[in-house]
Amino acid sequence: MESWGWWLVAAGALVIGELFAGDFVLLMLAAGAAAAGLAGVLGLGIVGELLVFVVVSGLALFFVRPWIKNRFYRSSDQVKIGVSTILGAEAVVLERVDAEGGQVNLSGELWRARPYDTTRVFEPGDRVRVIEVDGATVLVGKE
């Protein structure tokens, strides 16, 4: 097999590897390998192919990859998941909340609750904020 064929095989393998890695590094190297394969088809020889691979891969890593990552992961830092979705949320007391426990309605869900400040007591109808989460119990307080 000609050298350009090996470059194309490498490019395909790198693209497949990127499917598992997901960080766009292997994809940039695949672009370099494909360009090197094209250089081989044009008859640049192995030194030219290696030079094309290094240049194209380097440019892709430093210029194209950051742009692609920005497009794909634009708002991922702003996405709340897990406990962070309810911290600071407002809840309505359904059953008296004291150091022994109680119950609140939080976004339509029933949660066990205790006051963050154990000396406080909240009565049904009071609006409270989630300050902390302790397992399946929210610790609440007034603002």
Side-chain angles (χ1 to χ4, degrees):
M1 185 188 291
E2 299 276 336
S3 64
W4 61 267
W6 289 111
W7 284 112
L8 296 181
V9 168
L14 288 165
V15 167
I16 291 170
E18 180 62 43
L19 295 174
F20 297 101
D23 199 32
F24 303 113
V25 172
L26 296 179
L27 189 61
M28 301 303 109
L29 296 177
L38 181 60
V41 169
L42 297 175
L44 292 183
I46 192 69
V47 174
E49 294 168 16
L50 285 171
L51 185 61
V52 167
F53 173 74
V54 169
V55 170
V56 171
S57 295
L59 290 173
L61 281 169
F62 290 105
F63 295 108
V64 178
R65 181 174 173 260
W67 178 78
I68 290 175
K69 283 186 74 171
N70 185 40
R71 298 279 296 168
F72 274 87
Y73 302 120
R74 179 177 309 176
S75 62
S76 65
D77 292 341
Q78 301 161 356
V79 175
K80 290 184 173 185
I81 58 172
V83 172
S84 65
T85 61
I86 62 172
L87 290 177
E90 186 176 86
V92 178
V93 176
L94 298 177
E95 293 177 6
R96 179 184 164 110
V97 175
D98 56 23
E100 300 299 314
Q103 194 172 48
V104 296
N105 180 341
L106 176 60
S107 301
E109 296 179 356
L110 300 180
W111 282 76
R112 287 185 294 186
R114 290 192 325 263
Y116 184 75
D117 176 358
T118 56
T119 63
R120 299 285 309 262
V121 174
F122 302 107
E123 298 298 333
D126 287 350
R127 294 192 175 279
V128 292
R129 292 247 177 237
V130 176
I131 298 173
E132 191 175 309
V133 178
D134 181 18
T137 304
V138 291
L139 304 180
V140 298
K142 289 278 189 178
E143 291 187 278

